[in-house]
Amino acid sequence: MATIKFEEALSRLESIVAELEKGDLPLNDSLKIFEEGVKISKTCLKMLDDAERKVEIMVQEKDGKKRLEAFSVEPPKEELN
Amino acid sequence: MATIKFEEALSRLESIVAELEKGDLPLNDSLKIFEEGVKISKTCLKMLDDAERKVEIMVQEKDGKKRLEAFSVEPPKEELN
Amino acid sequence: MATIKFEEALSRLESIVAELEKGDLPLNDSLKIFEEGVKISKTCLKMLDDAERKVEIMVQEKDGKKRLEAFSVEPPKEELN
Amino acid sequence: MATIKFEEALSRLESIVAELEKGDLPLNDSLKIFEEGVKISKTCLKMLDDAERKVEIMVQEKDGKKRLEAFSVEPPKEELN
Amino acid sequence: MATIKFEEALSRLESIVAELEKGDLPLNDSLKIFEEGVKISKTCLKMLDDAERKVEIMVQEKDGKKRLEAFSVEPPKEELN
Amino acid sequence: MATIKFEEALSRLESIVAELEKGDLPLNDSLKIFEEGVKISKTCLKMLDDAERKVEIMVQEKDGKKRLEAFSVEPPKEELN
Amino acid sequence: MANSTNPVLTVTQLTSLVRTSLESEFLDFWLEGEVSNVRMPASGHMYFTLKDANSQIRAVAFRSIVRQIRFSLEDGLQIVVRGRMTVYEPRGDFQVVVESIEPKGVGALQIAFEQLKTRLAQEGLFDQTRKRGLPFLPQKIGIVTSLSGAAIRDILTVLHRRCPIMSVVIYPVPVQGEGAAVRIAQGIRQCNQMGEVEVLIVSRGGGSWEDLWCFNEEVVVRAIADSDIPVVSAVGHEIDVTLADFVADYRAATPSSAAEAVTPVLRDIKESIAMNVGRVIQGMEHQLQIFRHRFQTAQSACPHPAHIIQHHAQCIDDLDHRLTQAISRVYSVWRPRIDSLRVSLNAHSPRRSIRQGSLVIHQLLVRLQNVLPSLVTLKRRELQRVITLLQDLSPLATLARGYSMVELVASGDIVRSIGDVEVGTRIRARLFDGHLSCKVEKVQKDASHLDL
């Protein structure tokens, strides 16, 4: 669901850019969407910056229960970083 | 002041200037519209300044802490709140 | 004084001068309209003084404190009040 | 004195002079109209003087203090009061 | 005396003189009209004196003090009283 | 005496003279009318003197003292008394 | 068909009729033969000939089909194609339009594949309308694959390279052999149950047709079809096509391209955001500049009312000056007029007539004074003459000659005779210069008197 917002935010940002670049908005409206645009971009960037990579693996216990466990990337994977 | 739009104020100012330039107004009327013009130009200026400050602040906030600190040592900006 | 318009006063003064310059008025009438003319010209000058002061104040307000102080050290301006 | 108009007085004076010039009046009548003529000429002069003084005063008042002071050092003007 | 006009008195005087000069009046009548003539002439002269004094006064009043003093040093005028 | 007119007296006197000239009157009557004639002539003379004095007085009154004196030095006038 | 009534056909008409006829007759058939004359021009379509001992026929595989061929077509290869007939009208050639190509000899597996595919297709599982879009930037990705294969490595590598923040949940499953299909389907369902991921990659590396077979099994296909989470399939190499590929929302040719399909490049996103926000700021600043410029233009063009006021003040000064001039001109007209009237009045004062009157009166007076004395003198002269006459005639002259006249005192009667008196009578004797009062003493008659 957060991804939908993110996408919407990005497209909103794009339409803000288009509208501001047309330049035919009243000052107040421009200011508002400017503010909105800046906020959106901050929010988006923050989302991207704040996200932490987690690689997990679903494992099955002996009792048959399943749970997620951190998946340690194998040595060959290290090379990828 | 918040109720009048910048564009309306600006276009009123422009029509005042046009009328004053025509120069065929009675003294009293030219005084009155000059006064109005002065007021409106103050309003416009304030609106513009406010808008610019807002933009600056937002841009600085966007650009993070460093700029923000640069702000806080500028006392004149504080007075404007 | 506020009720009569400057332009009306000015045109009355012009017609008084014209009538006096024609020179065919009875003495008494000449005196009367001369007196009226003098009054009107005083009134007009006062109106103009008022207008000037008003404009000055407006401009001072517009330009803020600095000008105001600059003004208050101009003694000739004080005499006009 | 105020009830008679200067112009009427002046034209009466003219007809008195004309009648006196004809010279065929009885003594009494010529005395009477001469007397009237003298009175009228005094009246006229006074009217004119008054008018002129009034005008002077008005002009002085009109021209304000500076002129007034300039006047008060002109002794000949004082005699006219 | 005030009721008789100067001109009537004068013409009466003239006819008295004429009749007396004709010389055909009785002594008594002559005496009577002579007496009348003398009276009339006195009256006339008085009228003239009065008139002159009146005129002088009028002229003096008109011309003010200076003329009055100028008059009072004219001895010939005094003799007429 | 005042009732009789100078001219009547004179004509009576002339008729007395005429009667006396006729000479046919008794001495007695002659004497009587002669005496009457003398009386009348005296009366007439007095009338004339009176008239003369009267004129003098009137003339003096008219002209005042000086003339009176002027008169009184006119000897011919004295003779008439 | 009656020859006599048949109209003459044009070539085009005939060709078109033949095509229609062929196409409706040979709509779907399997054809076996040897490949020759393989030709693949730039269009990406593939043209070849199929032949057997006696005949040959032209065949065309259009680009979309060519892409699905999981083996390379070479001359001499025995293949089975599924296709339909058509006529290439410009040349009048009839040809097979190939729908799918399989090497000859796949046998029952292939048939089963085709049968399941047809059934599921009829159910609508492969409809394009069922396919869902992939999320733009999923927070978490699920991967259903084997831990041992190259696929997981490739996927993780690509994910990390493109989007280092991407979280992953791996559902390890066997991807070949007995029971693999069920485990794969379980993995898919499990993933849906956990609900943590936004997109799911179902994958395995390359292998033989048989190795990949579990991805053609119905349980897997249905698990994919039932998934609430969009599924990306990446099975084998590019040429390998499984039913899982048909049912997936997106078919990736390889595990790497599956990873690419589910993640954007993070750096690109950030750059795009940064660029957009830059444009937002610029746009705003530009607009502010335009407004400020417009405002400053208006403000600096505003005329100051002081000019107007000064103009008016000058006007009034001028009028004021004219006013004063005009009024003094009024006086300069009136005053000389009065002065000249006063001079005329004085010149014609009654003094002159008074003086003249007095002159006339004095003249009359002189005449008056002269006339009466001369009148009196005249009268006196007249009187004198009469008086002289009277004196000349005076009876007293007689008396003066010595006569006297006697009269009675008592009666005044003249005494004419001695008889008029007696002794003692008082008488008066008149002489020429007076009278005497006497008393008669004696009466004596005179002798000389003659009595007649």
Side-chain angles (χ1 to χ4, degrees):
Chain A
M1 214 164 97
T3 59
I4 287 167
K5 277 189 185 168
F6 186 80
E7 260 186 281
E8 279 172 2
L10 285 192
S11 88
R12 175 74 189 130
L13 182 59
E14 267 163 11
S15 69
I16 283 170
V17 167
E19 249 180 305
L20 273 181
E21 285 181 344
K22 261 201 292 177
D24 52 4
L25 280 181
L27 180 64
N28 230 26
D29 296 356
S30 298
L31 258 187
K32 274 186 193 158
I33 63 164
F34 161 78
E35 199 170 352
E36 189 189 341
V38 172
K39 275 186 188 165
I40 286 175
S41 75
K42 281 205 291 181
T43 306
C44 287
L45 287 176
K46 188 162 167 9
M47 270 169 74
L48 295 180
D49 288 345
D50 287 353
E52 258 178 54
R53 188 190 191 208
K54 238 174 15 178
V55 179
E56 290 164 311
I57 188 163
M58 175 71 72
V59 293
Q60 194 163 5
E61 303 281 325
K62 284 172 186 167
D63 58 0
K65 273 191 178 174
K66 290 175 173 126
R67 58 176 178 83
L68 288 176
E69 196 175 82
F71 179 70
S72 60
V73 185
E74 291 162 33
K77 312 251 164 164
E78 290 288 350
E79 283 168 23
L80 296 167
N81 290 333
Chain B
M1 201 166 103
T3 52
I4 192 172
K5 285 193 178 167
F6 178 78
E7 285 71 23
E8 285 166 3
L10 187 58
S11 84
R12 176 69 190 131
L13 179 61
E14 280 164 347
S15 69
I16 282 170
V17 169
E19 245 180 307
L20 281 177
E21 278 177 341
K22 264 200 292 175
D24 53 2
L25 281 182
L27 177 67
N28 232 24
D29 294 357
S30 34
L31 268 187
K32 273 186 194 160
I33 66 161
F34 178 75
E35 188 170 5
E36 194 191 337
V38 169
K39 277 185 190 168
I40 287 180
S41 85
K42 281 202 282 183
T43 303
C44 282
L45 196 61
K46 184 155 171 18
M47 281 171 157
L48 274 179
D49 286 349
D50 285 355
E52 257 167 21
R53 207 166 309 123
K54 210 163 176 181
V55 169
E56 251 174 59
I57 290 169
M58 300 254 300
V59 169
Q60 287 164 3
E61 281 178 1
K62 181 185 71 82
D63 293 350
K65 266 195 171 174
K66 272 201 174 169
R67 293 247 182 156
L68 203 63
E69 282 159 16
F71 248 144
S72 61
V73 296
E74 286 181 304
K77 303 268 167 177
E78 293 288 345
E79 284 171 22
L80 294 167
N81 296 330
Chain C
M1 202 168 102
T3 52
I4 192 172
K5 283 193 178 168
F6 178 79
E7 281 70 23
E8 284 168 4
L10 190 62
S11 87
R12 175 71 190 130
L13 183 56
E14 272 164 355
S15 67
I16 283 171
V17 168
E19 242 180 309
L20 270 184
E21 283 178 343
K22 264 201 289 177
D24 53 3
L25 280 181
L27 180 67
N28 229 25
D29 295 357
S30 303
L31 248 192
K32 274 185 192 159
I33 65 162
F34 172 76
E35 193 169 359
E36 193 191 339
V38 169
K39 274 186 191 165
I40 288 177
S41 87
K42 278 205 280 185
T43 302
C44 283
L45 284 177
K46 184 157 171 12
M47 280 172 159
L48 288 180
D49 280 353
D50 287 354
E52 210 163 22
R53 210 165 308 125
K54 215 165 168 183
V55 168
E56 264 170 41
I57 290 168
M58 286 191 285
V59 170
Q60 287 168 5
E61 282 177 359
K62 192 186 67 147
D63 294 349
K65 265 192 172 175
K66 273 203 172 166
R67 290 249 180 156
L68 203 65
E69 282 159 15
F71 263 127
S72 60
V73 295
E74 285 182 309
K77 304 265 167 179
E78 292 287 347
E79 283 173 22
L80 293 169
N81 294 331
Chain D
M1 205 169 99
T3 53
I4 191 172
K5 284 192 178 171
F6 180 78
E7 283 71 24
E8 285 168 2
L10 201 62
S11 87
R12 175 72 191 132
L13 183 56
E14 273 167 351
S15 67
I16 283 171
V17 168
E19 246 180 307
L20 283 176
E21 278 176 343
K22 267 199 289 177
D24 54 0
L25 281 180
L27 177 65
N28 232 23
D29 293 358
S30 56
L31 260 186
K32 274 183 191 159
I33 66 164
F34 178 74
E35 189 170 3
E36 191 189 342
V38 169
K39 276 185 187 167
I40 287 177
S41 82
K42 282 203 282 182
T43 303
C44 283
L45 264 186
K46 186 158 168 16
M47 279 173 158
L48 206 55
D49 285 349
D50 285 355
E52 230 164 6
R53 205 166 311 125
K54 211 164 173 181
V55 167
E56 254 171 57
I57 290 169
M58 282 193 287
V59 169
Q60 288 168 3
E61 281 178 359
K62 179 176 68 80
D63 294 349
K65 266 192 172 175
K66 275 204 172 168
R67 293 247 180 156
L68 204 63
E69 283 159 15
F71 263 130
S72 61
V73 295
E74 285 181 308
K77 302 264 166 180
E78 292 286 348
E79 284 174 20
L80 292 169
N81 294 330
Chain E
M1 205 166 98
T3 52
I4 190 170
K5 284 191 179 170
F6 177 78
E7 283 70 21
E8 286 169 10
L10 191 63
S11 88
R12 176 72 191 130
L13 183 57
E14 272 166 351
S15 69
I16 283 171
V17 169
E19 238 179 317
L20 281 179
E21 281 177 343
K22 265 201 288 176
D24 53 4
L25 278 182
L27 179 65
N28 227 25
D29 294 355
S30 300
L31 258 186
K32 273 184 189 159
I33 63 165
F34 170 76
E35 196 170 355
E36 190 191 342
V38 169
K39 276 185 185 165
I40 286 174
S41 74
K42 281 206 279 182
T43 304
C44 283
L45 284 176
K46 186 159 172 6
M47 279 173 160
L48 289 178
D49 280 353
D50 287 354
E52 202 160 22
R53 211 165 307 125
K54 217 166 173 180
V55 168
E56 261 169 48
I57 291 168
M58 285 190 288
V59 171
Q60 287 165 5
E61 280 177 359
K62 189 184 68 149
D63 296 348
K65 264 191 173 176
K66 274 200 171 169
R67 291 246 178 158
L68 203 65
E69 284 160 14
F71 267 129
S72 62
V73 295
E74 285 181 310
K77 303 263 165 174
E78 293 284 353
E79 284 174 18
L80 293 171
N81 293 331
Chain F
M1 209 170 99
T3 54
I4 190 168
K5 288 188 177 172
F6 178 78
E7 283 72 20
E8 284 168 11
L10 192 62
S11 89
R12 175 72 191 132
L13 196 53
E14 275 170 343
S15 71
I16 283 171
V17 167
E19 238 178 311
L20 284 176
E21 277 178 341
K22 270 201 287 178
D24 56 359
L25 277 182
L27 179 61
N28 205 17
D29 290 348
S30 297
L31 253 182
K32 269 185 186 163
I33 63 165
F34 174 75
E35 272 176 357
E36 189 192 343
V38 169
K39 268 187 188 168
I40 287 172
S41 51
K42 277 206 224 167
T43 302
C44 281
L45 277 175
K46 190 170 172 343
M47 277 172 155
L48 287 177
D49 286 350
D50 284 355
E52 231 161 24
R53 209 168 306 124
K54 209 166 183 178
V55 168
E56 251 173 58
I57 289 165
M58 283 195 291
V59 170
Q60 285 166 5
E61 280 177 359
K62 180 182 68 88
D63 294 347
K65 267 191 171 175
K66 274 200 174 170
R67 292 251 179 155
L68 202 64
E69 284 160 14
F71 265 129
S72 62
V73 295
E74 282 179 312
K77 305 261 165 170
E78 290 287 355
E79 282 172 19
L80 290 169
N81 293 330
Chain G
M1 276 193 210
N3 284 341
S4 58
T5 56
N6 266 354
V8 177
L9 298 168
T10 64
V11 173
T12 302
Q13 280 169 342
L14 179 64
T15 309
S16 175
L17 284 171
V18 170
R19 183 175 65 80
T20 310
S21 171
L22 278 176
E23 281 180 354
S24 58
E25 197 69 22
F26 303 97
L27 192 59
D28 185 16
F29 54 84
W30 292 94
L31 177 66
E32 176 181 318
E34 182 190 329
V35 175
S36 64
N37 299 325
V38 174
R39 197 164 54 83
M40 193 159 95
S43 66
H45 306 321
M46 188 176 280
Y47 304 92
F48 55 94
T49 304
L50 276 179
K51 60 180 182 187
D52 55 15
N54 304 312
S55 303
Q56 61 178 23
I57 193 167
R58 288 175 186 276
V60 59
F62 292 121
R63 190 172 47 197
S64 55
I65 302 301
V66 172
R67 272 203 225 107
Q68 293 173 15
I69 299 174
R70 282 171 291 172
F71 54 95
S72 65
L73 211 58
E74 286 163 14
D75 286 0
L77 195 67
Q78 290 288 323
I79 59 167
V80 176
V81 301
R82 183 177 182 173
R84 56 190 172 85
M85 283 309 293
T86 191
V87 174
Y88 182 61
E89 285 168 84
R91 275 203 305 272
D93 292 342
F94 66 93
Q95 59 186 9
V96 178
V97 176
V98 174
E99 300 287 356
S100 66
I101 303 174
E102 296 295 341
K104 199 194 162 196
V106 171
L109 214 51
Q110 184 65 38
I111 300 298
F113 170 83
E114 290 302 337
Q115 283 169 344
L116 180 61
K117 183 182 166 196
T118 303
R119 184 157 52 86
L120 294 179
Q122 277 167 355
E123 272 185 47
L125 254 55
F126 305 151
D127 286 358
Q128 286 300 314
T129 53
R130 290 188 80 256
K131 311 237 179 264
R132 293 162 291 193
L134 303 183
F136 170 71
L137 178 66
Q139 277 183 327
K140 203 175 250 185
I141 294 170
I143 303 170
V144 176
T145 192
S146 156
L147 285 181
S148 58
I152 185 68
R153 274 207 320 273
D154 291 352
I155 288 170
L156 287 177
T157 302
V158 171
L159 284 182
H160 192 247
R161 188 181 69 230
R162 287 171 67 89
C163 192
I165 60 170
M166 188 63 69
S167 292
V168 176
V169 178
I170 302 165
Y171 297 87
V173 287
V175 289
Q176 73 179 73
E178 202 65 25
V182 174
R183 294 285 304 277
I184 292 168
Q186 278 177 353
I188 292 169
R189 277 196 290 274
Q190 226 169 54
C191 181
N192 273 282
Q193 282 160 16
M194 299 284 287
E196 281 197 7
V197 304
E198 289 166 54
V199 67
L200 182 62
I201 296 173
V202 177
S203 183
R204 73 149 283 154
S208 70
W209 176 244
E210 287 76 16
D211 289 344
L212 304 183
W213 186 250
C214 55
F215 288 94
N216 284 323
E217 286 188 52
E218 190 170 356
V219 63
V220 171
V221 175
R222 289 205 181 275
I224 292 174
D226 291 345
S227 172
D228 293 329
I229 299 165
V231 176
V232 173
S233 67
V235 181
H237 295 295
E238 199 167 353
I239 54 162
D240 302 318
V241 180
T242 62
L243 292 183
D245 289 329
F246 283 110
V247 77
D249 294 288
Y250 182 87
R251 185 226 165 190
T254 63
S256 292
S257 59
E260 279 170 11
V262 298
T263 51
V265 178
L266 184 63
R267 200 179 55 240
D268 290 353
I269 294 175
K270 283 186 172 179
E271 274 172 9
S272 154
I273 290 172
M275 189 193 72
N276 279 335
V277 79
R279 282 166 72 182
V280 163
I281 290 166
Q282 268 176 9
M284 191 65 223
E285 281 172 348
H286 183 63
Q287 198 178 13
L288 278 175
Q289 272 171 13
I290 286 170
F291 277 134
R292 189 171 283 277
H293 178 71
R294 203 173 132 198
F295 167 71
Q296 279 167 350
T297 305
Q299 202 188 28
S300 62
C302 187
H304 199 284
H307 300 307
I308 301 167
I309 292 168
Q310 279 159 11
H311 171 73
H312 283 316
Q314 209 167 353
C315 260
I316 287 167
D317 283 345
D318 181 46
L319 285 172
D320 215 35
H321 180 67
R322 278 166 67 193
L323 191 69
T324 311
Q325 296 281 95
I327 195 80
S328 60
R329 214 172 305 131
V330 167
Y331 295 127
S332 68
V333 169
W334 289 119
R335 194 169 284 283
R337 207 167 138 203
I338 285 189
D339 286 346
S340 85
L341 279 174
R342 287 178 71 209
V343 168
S344 297
L345 186 68
N346 270 344
H348 297 90
S349 85
R351 264 191 207 146
R352 204 177 48 172
S353 48
I354 288 170
R355 232 165 276 144
Q356 204 169 1
S358 134
L359 197 67
V360 168
I361 286 168
H362 277 104
Q363 281 168 356
L364 285 172
L365 207 54
V366 167
R367 279 163 72 192
L368 193 63
Q369 282 175 358
N370 289 341
V371 72
L372 207 68
S374 65
L375 187 72
V376 170
T377 306
L378 201 71
K379 296 274 180 192
R380 190 182 291 280
R381 210 172 289 144
E382 206 178 331
L383 182 61
Q384 209 63 50
R385 183 181 55 85
V386 177
I387 286 173
T388 306
L389 280 175
L390 185 66
Q391 279 172 343
D392 287 352
L393 293 171
S394 172
L396 292 176
T398 309
L399 293 182
R401 274 185 279 141
Y403 296 96
S404 74
M405 194 177 71
V406 176
E407 55 190 19
L408 293 174
V409 172
S411 64
D413 291 345
I414 296 293
V415 178
R416 294 172 185 267
S417 156
I418 51 169
D420 293 343
V421 293
E422 51 193 52
V423 174
T425 303
R426 298 185 73 92
I427 57 172
R428 186 159 49 216
R430 268 190 89 126
L431 305 178
F432 88 97
D433 58 351
H435 63 269
L436 304 169
S437 293
C438 311
K439 197 184 270 179
V440 176
E441 287 179 348
K442 184 182 150 184
V443 178
Q444 191 177 339
K445 191 149 175 171
D446 212 345
S448 63
H449 183 272
L450 300 169
D451 273 329
L452 294 169

